[in-house]
Amino acid sequence: MKFDNEQSVTRKDAIRLLKENWHFTPEREIVPLGECLGRVMFEDVFSKNTIPLVRSSCFDGIAVRSADFSNGLPDTSNWVRGVDYVRADTGDDFPDAFDAVIAIESVVFDGDKVSFIDGFQFDPAKKNVNPSGTIVSKGALLAPAGAKITPEIMASLAMGGISWVPVKRKIKVVFIPTGSELVPPGVAPQRGQNIDTNGLMIKNLLARWGADVTCHTIVKDNKTELEDALKESLEWADMVLINGGSSRGEEDYNSLLLQKLGSFFRHGVKAVPGRPVGMAVIGNKVAINVPGPVGAALLAEHWMLSALINHWYGFPEHIYPTVKAKLTAPMKTRAGFEFLGRVVLNRTEDGYIATPLGRGTKGGMPTQLIQVNAMIIVPADSNGFEEGDIVDAELLTDIELIPYKAS
């Protein structure tokens, strides 16, 4: 489909329009507590338990009757364990006959006989006892609706007596690789052929956002077969990604297909690489025509697909952390288009430096996929950046993994 600058939209508007036109109702499912990490709470969940049920010791020590200390320290020479005192370690319950705990550091043991260290004074106002429900009370909120479940939330649910957790159903995504030139990974490409690598990459990238991704078999550049594959996928999926065929090639049918079926459709974003992306809402499903080149597909995941999956779960768009970096080479963009520049970021004694990578990179695409660890956005309304400019670099990896480079 020919790129129409008048119909194309900014990345920000593309996300806004898709959210406004994609109407869905989240669904509830129940999963075992041990398998809920990373899922999203469907509803508020409250404690069934009260812990401690009655009371417990604040620390390791002995439990005593505070009445025995009403006239100062008692003579403990005839005290009997189990009658005049009991051991009460941190978090322990103890018999109701006792109402106070003395820290183990203040007690001297001689077998079962006890005395107190010199200078010890009993404070009747400090019982050192946790009342019922100090850890958790029945009815207490354990996890709120919309929370992404962390190990800490799992611990909260466990202490509240929850074994099965109500979560939002995972978004179901189908990735359809298209192109008569494609062969599966593991097949040696012949002349005119290329390997389908985007499915493997996108499936695992989207899994980190919580998507359940299924990769369709390769569909050749045939209008009927493409339409059948899309319709079948929409029967199961909440989102369909149809990869390739988004530009102006003789067999680029996919965006035209989305236009034919969609109640909402846009083609093209004012950003490069990846400007021919197509977007549609078909029924209550969303379909995205992801550009075929690996770099463009990767960028579509970076800003669009991640935002749509977050929207499914009720989260805002992901904010990538940034650092200030000095450019080692200029970065330009064409008028009216953002440039999404993938760079190699290094840490030096003087701060961070960013080296743009693009076509002609030694080692080809594998070098880019291995080395690129940050992105720099060149705004559409700018004249670009020059070598030596200090710019914001979005991190694509953990900051501690940015390699050091000697100046």
Side-chain angles (χ1 to χ4, degrees):
M1 175 178 282
K2 183 177 180 181
F3 188 87
D4 186 342
N5 193 59
E6 295 299 320
Q7 294 296 317
S8 63
V9 294
T10 64
R11 291 189 299 143
K12 182 178 180 180
D13 282 342
I15 297 299
R16 177 183 58 80
L17 289 167
L18 281 168
K19 288 180 179 180
E20 288 176 356
N21 287 276
W22 182 24
H23 305 294
F24 57 87
T25 301
E27 297 176 16
R28 180 182 187 269
E29 65 180 15
I30 302 293
V31 298
L33 174 62
E35 300 175 14
C36 71
L37 182 64
R39 301 296 297 270
V40 179
M41 295 295 301
F42 186 86
E43 59 200 29
D44 293 345
V45 172
F46 302 92
S47 178
K48 301 176 182 179
N49 293 338
T50 294
I51 304 175
L53 190 60
V54 180
R55 41 81 182 281
S56 66
S57 175
C58 288
F59 38 61
D60 293 349
I62 63 171
V64 299
R65 287 181 287 264
S66 58
D68 291 341
F69 293 79
S70 59
N71 295 318
L73 292 184
D75 179 3
T76 61
S77 59
N78 293 318
W79 273 21
V80 176
R81 181 171 178 169
V83 176
D84 300 290
Y85 79 95
V86 292
R87 285 296 302 264
D89 293 332
T90 305
D92 280 357
D93 192 5
F94 48 87
D96 293 340
F98 306 100
D99 64 345
V101 174
I102 297 173
I104 199 73
E105 293 81 3
S106 299
V107 181
V108 178
F109 290 94
D110 181 9
D112 283 343
K113 298 296 183 181
V114 296
S115 59
F116 303 106
I117 63 173
D118 291 342
F120 170 72
Q121 293 184 341
F122 181 83
D123 185 349
K126 294 181 179 180
K127 299 295 181 68
N128 301 320
V129 175
N130 295 316
S132 171
T134 301
I135 295 176
V136 64
S137 296
K138 185 176 182 179
L141 179 65
L142 301 174
K148 191 170 186 177
I149 299 173
T150 61
E152 294 87 349
I153 288 179
M154 292 176 74
S156 176
L157 292 166
M159 71 178 61
I162 305 301
S163 299
W164 295 86
V165 185
V167 296
K168 290 184 179 181
R169 176 176 64 76
K170 281 191 173 186
I171 184 172
K172 297 176 180 178
V173 180
V174 170
F175 181 90
I176 307 176
T178 72
S180 298
E181 78 284 3
L182 292 183
V183 294
V187 175
Q190 304 301 308
R191 182 172 180 173
Q193 292 183 329
N194 201 353
I195 295 175
D196 169 30
T197 56
N198 285 343
L200 184 65
M201 178 180 71
I202 294 296
K203 177 176 181 176
N204 289 284
L205 285 171
L206 297 190
R208 67 180 177 176
W209 304 111
D212 178 6
V213 184
T214 296
C215 289
H216 197 284
T217 54
I218 295 169
V219 181
K220 302 301 182 183
D221 291 316
N222 177 282
K223 291 181 181 180
T224 301
E225 292 180 12
L226 289 167
E227 184 167 348
D228 288 345
L230 177 58
K231 288 180 176 179
E232 289 171 358
S233 297
L234 287 167
E235 289 292 322
W236 179 81
D238 306 295
M239 177 190 296
V240 175
L241 310 177
I242 188 164
N243 187 218
S246 62
S247 192
R248 292 180 291 180
E250 186 177 359
E251 296 178 331
D252 286 342
Y253 305 131
N254 294 333
S255 286
L256 290 169
L257 180 59
L258 298 192
Q259 184 178 32
K260 171 185 173 181
L261 299 178
S263 58
F264 164 81
F265 173 77
R266 286 289 187 280
H267 179 259
V269 292
K270 296 178 180 178
V272 290
R275 66 180 181 138
V277 64
M279 302 154 276
V281 175
I282 304 172
N284 60 345
K285 314 292 181 73
V286 66
I288 306 296
N289 187 191
V290 178
V294 173
L298 186 60
L299 289 172
E301 179 276 335
H302 177 80
W303 67 268
M304 171 179 274
L305 305 183
S306 61
L308 293 176
I309 292 172
N310 275 4
H311 179 59
W312 172 270
Y313 292 116
F315 297 144
E317 296 170 38
H318 181 71
I319 298 175
Y320 293 87
T322 63
V323 297
K324 296 291 185 182
K326 179 185 287 188
L327 278 176
T328 64
M331 295 182 70
K332 303 296 183 180
T333 189
R334 68 178 68 181
F337 286 81
E338 282 183 297
F339 176 61
L340 313 180
R342 301 173 69 234
V343 301
V344 177
L345 194 66
N346 288 105
R347 180 171 50 87
T348 73
E349 293 180 357
D350 301 320
Y352 292 97
I353 58 172
T355 302
L357 290 184
R359 291 182 180 178
T361 299
K362 185 178 180 180
M365 182 55 67
T367 297
Q368 293 193 41
L369 294 174
I370 293 168
Q371 294 187 7
V372 165
N373 54 13
M375 184 180 298
I376 292 172
I377 311 299
V378 183
D381 58 356
S382 78
N383 294 319
F385 300 134
E386 302 297 334
E387 179 180 347
D389 283 353
I390 305 299
V391 296
D392 289 322
E394 292 185 358
L395 298 183
L396 303 180
T397 188
D398 296 327
I399 194 168
E400 64 269 18
L401 299 181
I402 303 298
Y404 177 80
K405 186 175 184 178
S407 301

